[in-house]
Amino acid sequence: MNANDLPAREAMEFDVVIVGAGPAGLAAAIKLKQIAPEKSVVVVEKGSEVGAHILSGAVIDPIGLDHLIPEWRGEDTPVRTPVSSDRFYVLGPSGALRVPNLLMPPLMSNHGNFIVSLGDVCRYLAQKAEALGVEIYPGFAAAEMLYENGAVAGIATGDMGVGKDGHSKASFTRGMELRAKYTLFAEGARGSLSKVLIERFGLSQDRQPQKFGIGLKELWQVAPESFRSGLVQHTMGWPLSNRTGGGSFLYHFGDNLVSVGFVVHLNYENPYLSPFEEFQRFKTHPLVRNTFAGGKRICYGARAITEGGWQSVPNLVFPGGALIGCAAGFMNLPRIKGSHNAMLSGMLAAEHVAAALAAGRTHDELLSYEAAWRGSPIGRDLWRVRNAKPLWSKLGTVAGVALGAFDMWTNTLGFSLIGTLGHGKPDFATLKPAASCKPIAYKKPDSKLTFDRLSSVYLSNTNHEEDQPVHLIVRDSALQKSSEHDVYAGPSARYCPAGVYEWVEEAGKPRYVINAQNCVHCKTCDIKDPNQNINWAPPEGGGGPNYTNM
Ligand SMILES: Cc1cc2nc3c(=O)[nH]c(=O)nc-3n(C[C@H](O)[C@H](O)[C@H](O)COP(=O)(O)OP(=O)(O)OC[C@H]3O[C@@H](n4cnc5c(N)ncnc54)[C@H](O)[C@@H]3O)c2cc1C
Ligand code: SF4
């Protein structure tokens, strides 16, 4: 069947449609129903179930939960491991220098926070939402916006059962139109529809470019003697050079579980750098390697995070809807925390949507939400750390982090000596040509502590219907060869944490191979391709990773 012959889509009407069942989307849904139980609210989620695509640290600041579900501490929830010890180290190749907690800006303290699987927290929030009457449709990706008179009027889910060549298979099912008075976009970092909205409505005009990092994570079941319930440990420095921002996290929680992860800022310059291999190298450091002795790696995944903060948050509203959570970029980089702001922004938007609906409004701009966030706890959280990222980018790790910490201290006291710094170039523009960079030699994995990509992707339980159009769209193949390959030596083969991209030699010519079925939906290619030549579009709903406990 050709596109023109497609049957009309069935349409359903709701008061509010929410795209994405992460902490932001679910908090918005719950809040809406708490304020206005009679309003109809639906959440669509591209993962096969709620939590399947959620990947986070995660040490959570419970401020969001406390406001949304004040009774949660008396319930059986997945929020069970309080932080008991909080350590921060600067690493060298074989040594580690612990930064005394007293020197750390108070906002960095994890006292009172909890170590969780954010996926499990989302599963808990989904139960709460459903109990209030929210409809949740997992396995459905929002593939396009619906517009009416220039305003967003809902979304359409993607068609299912379309073959690689674009033709309908026997299993073809037309997508659904979910129409709404207001639509909230809670897709997380680099949301595919949010990106379109930001462009279409010029939401980032007069803002600094959004900055990103890639976060890779493994979940380990460790030997009981290595387990320290509630230990939170962060590092920066080795194995990254002073010019490359990033660092590690290591959290002990639950039943002998350790979440270990590594973030690399995506404004790195050397196209030979591989965030995946840097993460594997990090685990061999004497400070951490014994934690994993006798343990078993049980899950793996990766996801982009937003790092631009205060300066980069776009205008949140447009006719008919708003951005919430990390789709808007509410992540606090120095704290490596975004889930609390995701929830708070979902709740804040919900309050303004509920007020608009109560006033009989529809499809207009929720200007009061945009006006409210900078003066809210979210704004206060991001304001105090606004110079940490630009200083790190400009001055490198040693001087940048030291000055950033000083600025966070002064901001805690209510002032800054440096005002508000800009971020400079967007991340896709920071790679240097390969000819001016040194290749990096990474060691072969030992398959005990360090691993290769493919055995790692296996642990993400990633699954896509193979006979479907490729969801990673290279706009101009000739440009990919002449620039990505010839000038930058094919960085996609290294930044992709799932081994999706490869340049293979065929009859003496390089050919770009895209193993789309391995994609873990981290969105790094959409961010870091030096020509912005790769567009990540949602694959058939339900495809992608199936993370457990991540
Ligand atoms: C490695 C790493 C470590 C982190 N550590 C911490 C930490 O310790 N503490 C902390 O507070 N925060 C941490 N964060 C940040 C935190 O995870 C995010 O701030 C938070 O998850 C953002 O919530 P969200 O609801 O905005 O988006 P997400 O959690 O990303 O959820 C978005 C949801 O929307 C779905 N979705 C996206 N697009 C579509 C679509 N088109 N159609 C249907 N569904 C869609 C996704 O599948 C997903 O389920 C970390 C992040 C990473 C990557
Ligand atoms: S293809 Fe892109 S989105 Fe998918 S895992 Fe690789 S870098 Fe991430």
Side-chain angles (χ1 to χ4, degrees), residues 199-366:
E199 254 170 57
R200 179 179 172 119
F201 291 104
L203 303 179
S204 279
Q205 263 171 26
D206 312 325
R207 308 287 153 99
Q208 288 292 306
Q210 185 55 274
K211 305 295 283 181
F212 295 91
I214 175 176
L216 303 108
K217 173 178 164 181
E218 294 174 354
L219 182 69
W220 284 70
Q221 182 101 49
V222 298
E225 59 272 22
S226 304
F227 184 65
R228 309 269 177 277
S229 184
L231 171 64
V232 164
Q233 186 171 295
H234 293 110
T235 72
M236 58 180 209
W238 190 88
L240 299 177
S241 74
N242 192 48
R243 284 295 313 145
T244 307
S248 78
F249 61 87
L250 190 115
Y251 307 147
H252 293 236
F253 76 113
D255 189 9
N256 295 333
L257 294 175
V258 170
S259 289
V260 57
F262 203 80
V263 175
V264 175
H265 298 183
L266 285 176
N267 56 0
Y268 70 83
E269 295 170 341
N270 185 343
Y272 291 110
L273 185 138
S274 161
F276 176 85
E277 301 293 349
E278 298 294 338
F279 176 31
Q280 298 306 313
R281 273 217 287 183
F282 158 72
K283 284 185 294 170
T284 66
H285 194 279
L287 180 73
V288 294
R289 62 174 304 140
N290 289 339
T291 307
F292 308 106
K296 187 174 179 231
R297 192 173 73 136
I298 50 182
C299 203
Y300 164 83
R303 181 77 174 93
I305 59 173
T306 58
E307 297 186 341
W310 174 269
Q311 301 87 315
S312 303
V313 173
N315 182 356
L316 300 175
V317 299
F318 42 84
L323 304 174
I324 58 178
C326 279
F330 287 131
M331 167 91 183
N332 182 319
L333 174 65
R335 296 182 73 199
I336 330 182
K337 286 185 187 61
S339 61
H340 61 302
N341 284 341
M343 290 184 69
L344 291 173
S345 64
M347 290 153 66
L348 187 64
E351 285 166 13
H352 292 274
V353 170
L357 291 172
R361 286 163 45 198
T362 163
H363 294 144
D364 61 358
E365 286 188 68
L366 297 159

Side-chain angles (χ1 to χ4, degrees), residues 19-25 44-47 51-61 118 122 140-143 186-189 191-193 214-217 234 249 251 261-263 302-305 324-327 330-331 335-340 342 521 523 536 538:
V19 179
V44 283
E45 167 54 52
K46 66 179 165 61
H53 288 185
I54 299 292
L55 182 137
S56 191
V59 174
I60 60 164
D61 176 340
L118 194 61
C122 288
F140 289 91
E187 298 176 286
S192 48
L193 295 185
I214 175 176
L216 303 108
K217 173 178 164 181
H234 293 110
F249 61 87
Y251 307 147
F262 203 80
V263 175
R303 181 77 174 93
I305 59 173
I324 58 178
C326 279
F330 287 131
M331 167 91 183
R335 296 182 73 199
I336 330 182
K337 286 185 187 61
S339 61
H340 61 302
H521 297 202
K523 313 281 179 75
W536 189 99

